[in-house]
Amino acid sequence: MMLQEVIDIVKVLVFPGFLFFSILGLLYEWIDRKFYARLQNRVGPLYTGPSGFLQPFADFVKLMAKEDVVPEGAEKPIFSAVPVFALALSLFAVLFLPVYGTRGIISFEGDIVVLMVIMTLFVVLIFLGGISSASRYSEIGSERAILQLLGYEIPLVASVIGAAAVTVKANPSLSIRGIVEAQSGLWSIFGIQALGFAIFLLAAQAELERTPFDIPEAETEIVAGWMTEYSGKKLALLRLARDVELAFLCGLGATLFLGGPQPVFPGAAGTVISTVLFVVKSIVVLLILTLLRAAMSRLRIDQMVNFAWKYLMPLSILQLSLAVLIPNLLAF
Amino acid sequence: MDSAITIPIVSFVIALIISALVYGWGAKIAPKSKLLPGKAKPYACGEEVPAEIVPLTLHLINFATLFLVFDIVAMVIAFALLSPKLLADSALLIAVYSLVVLEAILLLARRRW
């Protein structure tokens, strides 16, 4: 009993919990920046560590050691609490991902709904952070974040529920475990869920506020959007939270549509193989997201909301209907 | 049986404590803030813009509330499509989700920013 508790503590704090995903987040930021730079015929991070590998970590430490200024007029408690809560939320979310087995550290029936809540809360935090800064740029950024959320939230939910529809045939479930187990034969992406995967990628891009949906922090228009007034350790925490969220969403995409860590093998060697598979699959998702970022330019907020409600929403409802209907029709 | 640390709320509190520790570490290694005139002014590209929290437009709140209703309905329909039993099992979660988001919107609507 005691040993089990120690193992669980190590799982939560080290692997596959907080430390693992923090490192993975920084690694993904490096991969993202490097790949993005190569696509633009630049070299990207170069000097810190081999091929600039340690640059995201160096940026984090540098920001931590910088002076932290709270602007006048800001609501200090909310302004200061937002980065702490943002990092805590991202770290909490990764505990649901199955890294080497079919279940995450936290797993129960309906956990996918909790993940939806966490993703929504992240945007609420962004809103609070921006609005409490008492700056025009921040306020515009946070209002845009909320508007954008109104656009992509329902397609995101529909794509995730569509992914859960693969469990209908055998054992209906709304848990990540059920979804991963249902993909032991064929991955969800090979079928109608290919559309769901595309919708998920677009919604994830919007959730992460990356081009073409980087409207809330559009640097050429509103400085850094809702993050304009953040500096020092607060900015460091926000950036780390963003990196962990990036790793989380890539992992979630890999879990829901690419079979997660499947095939799962028993034993220590199996753990290593599954972990490597999980990381490789989530890097594939990351590379697609980076490609999208490099290939497109920023939309205006009205274009984004229009696109989301006129095209993304009907498509997501279509894929959800097909995902639910097709297994039922095949059963007849 | 799972350990206490894998109970969601316990894990979240631990994540919060760790974030607070990282924040505290930053406070330790960063230089003390020396406030000079102008440094704490909101960023405004050199223009004189007073620091003030502008009230939210009610229009956005109405829109958000409508969206919330739509979102919840979409989720309920989706769950019901998947399995009626599942709908019964997840009713509590959906209720909690609705309450959290509704509370957030009410807070935003009530607050005089």
Side-chain angles (χ1 to χ4, degrees), chain A residues 21 43 65 95 99 249 254 256 274 281 290 299 305:
Chain A
F21 268 96
V43 284
L95 298 181
V99 176
L249 279 169
L256 297 179
S274 298
K281 286 176 186 177
T290 310
L299 296 172
V305 175

Side-chain angles (χ1 to χ4, degrees), chain A residues 8 72 75 117 136 174 229, chain B residues 3 40 43 52 79 97 111:
Chain A
D8 281 341
E72 62 184 33
E75 287 234 6
V117 177
R136 297 289 160 94
L174 270 180
E229 298 296 340
Chain B
S3 323
Y43 189 92
E52 56 172 339
F79 286 141
Y97 174 80
R111 184 149 192 147

Side-chain angles (χ1 to χ4, degrees), chain A residues 1 3-9, chain B residues 1-7:
Chain A
M1 184 65 187
L3 182 68
Q4 186 56 42
E5 277 173 1
V6 174
I7 291 173
D8 281 341
I9 290 171
Chain B
M1 204 185 126
D2 288 341
S3 323
I5 198 166
T6 58
I7 298 170

Side-chain angles (χ1 to χ4, degrees), chain A residues 19-79:
Chain A
L19 187 66
F20 175 70
F21 268 96
S22 301
I23 294 171
L24 210 61
L26 294 173
L27 170 73
Y28 283 12
E29 188 197 328
W30 174 75
I31 294 174
D32 180 49
R33 284 168 66 175
K34 198 78 184 170
F35 186 50
Y36 186 60
R38 291 311 302 145
L39 289 171
Q40 293 179 334
N41 215 9
R42 295 185 288 115
V43 284
L46 194 62
Y47 295 110
T48 322
S51 300
F53 174 72
L54 293 172
Q55 190 61 51
F57 182 67
D59 289 347
F60 175 73
V61 174
K62 182 200 77 178
L63 277 175
M64 287 296 278
K66 285 266 186 183
E67 185 183 352
D68 179 20
V69 180
V70 177
E72 62 184 33
E75 287 234 6
K76 204 177 170 191
I78 300 177
F79 185 77

Side-chain angles (χ1 to χ4, degrees), chain B residues 57-96:
Chain B
T57 49
L58 202 63
H59 180 68
L60 182 68
I61 297 293
N62 286 343
F63 192 28
T65 316
L66 275 176
F67 160 80
L68 170 75
V69 173
F70 194 87
D71 196 23
I72 303 289
V73 168
M75 273 196 116
V76 170
I77 292 172
F79 286 141
L81 275 174
L82 273 173
S83 151
K85 184 186 165 292
L86 216 58
L87 179 66
D89 287 349
S90 313
L92 185 67
L93 272 172
I94 299 172
V96 171

Side-chain angles (χ1 to χ4, degrees), chain A residues 8 18 64-67 71-72 75 84 88 92 113 117 127 136-137 139 150 153-154 168 174 229 233-234, chain B residues 3 8 18-19 22-23 25 30-31 33-34 39-40 42-43 45 51-52 54 63 67 70 79 82 97 108 111:
Chain A
D8 281 341
F18 301 155
M64 287 296 278
K66 285 266 186 183
E67 185 183 352
E72 62 184 33
E75 287 234 6
V84 179
F92 177 56
V113 183
V117 177
F127 180 78
R136 297 289 160 94
Y137 295 113
E139 195 193 338
L150 301 186
E153 169 87 351
I154 296 170
V168 167
L174 270 180
E229 298 296 340
K233 57 182 183 289
K234 295 190 181 77
Chain B
S3 323
I18 288 176
S19 307
V22 176
Y23 189 83
W25 175 61
S33 183
K34 278 185 232 149
K39 202 188 233 181
Y43 189 92
C45 306
E52 56 172 339
V54 187
F63 192 28
F67 160 80
F70 194 87
F79 286 141
L82 273 173
Y97 174 80
L108 293 176
R111 184 149 192 147

